Amino acid sequence: MRKGLFVSMEGPDSSGKSTQIQLLRRHLERKGLDAIALREPGGTAIGERIRAIVLDNAHPEMDYLTEAMLYAASRAQMVSQLILPALAAGKTVICDRFVDSSIAYQGGGRRLGEIVDKINAYAVRDCMPDVTFLLKVEPEMAKDRRVLRENDRIESENFAYHKRVCEAFLALEKKYPRRIVGIDGTLSVEEIGAMIAERVDALLGARDASL
Ligand code: TMP
């Protein structure tokens, strides 16, 4: 029985997800609500080891299908070990990336297409977010932000790759308009935070009313 709310935060690299996750977590804590923040790939001890492999610049030979399966494996572990138990306990789960990232980065970026949905159907087993916030920034802007820091194996991909990732995110927003809330990532941190908090509060209110 799923009592908690499952929120995922998505967007291209350097779109401001981490800041918004911190803000949302603080917002929920101020309201006295139990919330956990997780990241993908990672979140569990096994997932963090997968993260180290999949993001390591020392593995340029990694096959795209291997890459997609590693992300899905990390996800499968996090769903069973952390997300499902937390939701059953009534906690709010805030996930920094989830299956939409695989569809955008491996499905779109790597051009693996629908095979990514299929692999992830096993990993996710119907445990989809109640709401997904998509922080939208133009690929050019994301690129400018990326050059300011050291890049991992995925971030180091070329501009055309990152453009395909951004386009795939926009296609997902169109495909799942009820779940995915697209937000202009160029708005101020405070404006974005307020929009997210408002939507989460509404969903929590609706959930409480239905329990
Ligand atoms: P992060 O920098 O947001 O922690 O994400 C790590 C990188 O992994 C980022 O470049 C996006 C990428 N990624 C995928 O390619 N596929 C996935 O399924 C996930 C979760 C992340």
Side-chain angles (χ1 to χ4, degrees), residues 13 17 39-41 51 54-55 67 71 75 96-99 101-103 105-106 149 152 154-155 161-162:
D13 296 290
K17 290 179 291 100
R39 73 167 177 181
E40 275 216 339
R51 180 183 179 94
V54 83
L55 296 182
E67 179 183 292
Y71 279 113
R75 185 162 301 128
D96 187 343
R97 300 194 180 280
F98 198 61
V99 65
S101 275
S102 280
I103 293 169
Y105 282 84
Q106 282 67 52
R149 58 189 171 80
D152 62 39
I154 303 286
E155 289 167 332
Y161 169 87
H162 286 287

Side-chain angles (χ1 to χ4, degrees), residues 79-95:
V79 166
S80 72
Q81 188 182 333
L82 298 177
I83 299 181
L84 288 174
L87 293 176
K91 294 180 187 169
T92 298
V93 174
I94 313 166
C95 207

Side-chain angles (χ1 to χ4, degrees), residues 8 20 23 35 43 52 72 74 104 119 123-124 128 151 159-160 164-166 188-189 200 209:
S8 66
Q20 290 305 327
L23 285 181
S74 169
I119 295 168
V124 167
M128 283 299 285
N151 287 184
F159 180 70
R164 285 199 299 278
V165 170
C166 289
S188 74
V189 167
V200 168

Side-chain angles (χ1 to χ4, degrees):
M1 162 73 176
R2 182 163 156 169
K3 290 189 282 179
L5 190 75
F6 182 11
V7 180
S8 66
M9 199 72 72
E10 295 280 5
D13 296 290
S14 311
S15 53
K17 290 179 291 100
S18 313
T19 308
Q20 290 305 327
I21 287 169
Q22 279 175 25
L23 285 181
L24 177 59
R25 200 177 173 179
R26 262 187 255 137
H27 171 75
L28 294 171
E29 277 168 5
R30 272 199 300 273
K31 295 177 68 151
L33 295 170
D34 213 348
I36 58 167
L38 303 168
R39 73 167 177 181
E40 275 216 339
T44 63
I46 293 170
E48 290 298 326
R49 292 181 79 168
I50 293 175
R51 180 183 179 94
I53 297 170
V54 83
L55 296 182
D56 193 340
N57 280 313
H59 298 310
E61 78 282 20
M62 189 179 292
D63 176 75
Y64 293 167
L65 209 47
T66 306
E67 179 183 292
M69 287 180 168
L70 284 173
Y71 279 113
S74 169
R75 185 162 301 128
Q77 186 63 30
M78 196 164 78
V79 166
S80 72
Q81 188 182 333
L82 298 177
I83 299 181
L84 288 174
L87 293 176
K91 294 180 187 169
T92 298
V93 174
I94 313 166
C95 207
D96 187 343
R97 300 194 180 280
F98 198 61
V99 65
D100 298 306
S101 275
S102 280
I103 293 169
Y105 282 84
Q106 282 67 52
R110 301 296 195 206
R111 296 200 175 101
L112 287 179
E114 291 201 345
I115 200 165
V116 178
D117 300 65
K118 289 190 182 134
I119 295 168
N120 277 281
Y122 294 107
V124 167
R125 18 183 154 173
D126 287 339
C127 179
M128 283 299 285
D130 296 293
V131 63
T132 298
F133 296 104
L134 172 62
L135 301 185
K136 299 192 284 186
V137 289
E138 293 296 323
E140 289 78 7
M141 183 185 275
K143 179 172 162 243
D144 291 347
R145 292 182 185 177
R146 271 196 309 277
V147 292
L148 300 173
R149 58 189 171 80
E150 203 184 317
N151 287 184
D152 62 39
R153 200 177 57 84
I154 303 286
E155 289 167 332
S156 310
E157 283 298 331
N158 64 25
F159 180 70
Y161 169 87
H162 286 287
K163 198 158 176 278
R164 285 199 299 278
V165 170
C166 289
E167 284 163 2
F169 271 129
L170 296 182
L172 280 167
E173 182 193 8
K174 274 213 182 102
K175 190 170 174 187
Y176 301 107
R178 283 161 61 95
R179 174 174 64 86
I180 302 185
V181 180
I183 297 180
D184 177 356
T186 62
L187 294 173
S188 74
V189 167
E190 294 74 21
E191 281 172 306
I192 297 175
M195 289 164 84
I196 291 175
E198 192 184 329
R199 179 61 79 104
V200 168
D201 286 349
L203 287 168
L204 285 170
R207 187 207 56 173
D208 287 348
S210 71
L211 283 179

